[in-house]
Amino acid sequence: MKEYKIYTCGKMSGIPFEQQMQWRKTLETFVRDKYDGSDKIKFIHPPLYFNYEHMMHKTEREILDWEMMQLHDCDIVVVNLKGIDSTIGSHMELGAVQGINRFGDKYIYVVGIGEENNLHPWIKETCNRIEDNYSDASQYIIEYLLI
């Protein structure tokens, strides 16, 4: 069975660590509870590695390079669309995925979670699929992407 790497993208700055992780853990729980091969899935939650409450990094470049490397190695990106308009990091991550998809040697699927209303059209275009909630997003990931 293939191993999958899922990267969780979403606003981090200005939000407490617990809040950064809450949606990520909810999504991970939904996927792991519904998917038989959950031991073959690796979730990459950036706040577990780099965050602004427990600063383990020395430079912003360190974070940027690490996240770009993780994105390049992943199979699926799940992006929380809540607050997407105020997070340059998430915009850069989605832009990097678009670059990989168009000019790289692989394709990374992007699933958005949240409302489509008032999203910038380019954000909509970076998502292959947008679901309103974690349950529907996890079901879609399981049925269509973890095959």
Side-chain angles (χ1 to χ4, degrees):
M1 176 179 277
K2 179 179 171 25
E3 293 188 2
Y4 294 92
K5 188 172 180 182
I6 300 175
Y7 184 96
T8 56
C9 169
K11 183 174 175 71
M12 291 172 54
S13 61
I15 298 174
F17 176 78
E18 294 78 25
Q19 207 173 338
Q20 295 172 31
M21 288 303 299
Q22 182 179 9
W23 77 267
R24 290 173 164 93
K25 288 297 187 180
T26 299
L27 173 75
E28 182 174 350
T29 298
F30 271 104
V31 171
R32 290 196 186 284
D33 286 350
K34 295 178 184 177
Y35 185 63
D36 289 337
S38 66
D39 60 323
K40 299 291 185 187
I41 302 171
K42 169 96 174 146
F43 280 86
I44 301 298
H45 303 306
L48 291 177
Y49 301 91
F50 293 105
N51 67 71
Y52 295 97
E53 289 182 22
H54 306 0
M55 294 180 61
M56 299 297 292
H57 60 282
K58 292 186 178 182
T59 67
E60 292 296 317
R61 175 68 184 261
E62 179 184 356
I63 299 170
L64 176 63
D65 288 347
W66 182 88
E67 289 183 357
M68 293 301 121
M69 178 182 65
Q70 296 303 319
L71 282 166
H72 187 270
D73 288 343
C74 76
D75 301 292
I76 302 165
V77 170
V78 179
V79 58
N80 184 345
L81 298 171
K82 183 177 182 181
I84 192 78
D85 58 331
S86 63
T87 170
I88 190 67
S90 296
H91 288 197
M92 289 187 67
E93 290 170 346
L94 292 174
V97 169
Q98 286 300 300
I100 293 166
N101 287 348
R102 292 177 189 251
F103 307 113
D105 57 350
K106 66 180 291 184
Y107 192 87
I108 301 166
Y109 212 84
V110 179
V111 177
I113 300 175
E115 293 185 19
E116 288 186 61
N117 301 339
N118 302 320
L119 282 180
H120 189 282
W122 287 12
I123 298 295
K124 284 184 185 181
E125 290 300 316
T126 63
C127 296
N128 299 97
R129 176 78 170 220
I130 297 176
E131 292 291 353
D132 293 332
N133 58 66
Y134 306 110
S135 180
D136 291 346
S138 65
Q139 195 64 38
Y140 181 78
I141 291 166
I142 292 164
E143 290 181 11
Y144 293 95
L145 305 179
L146 301 179
I147 54 174

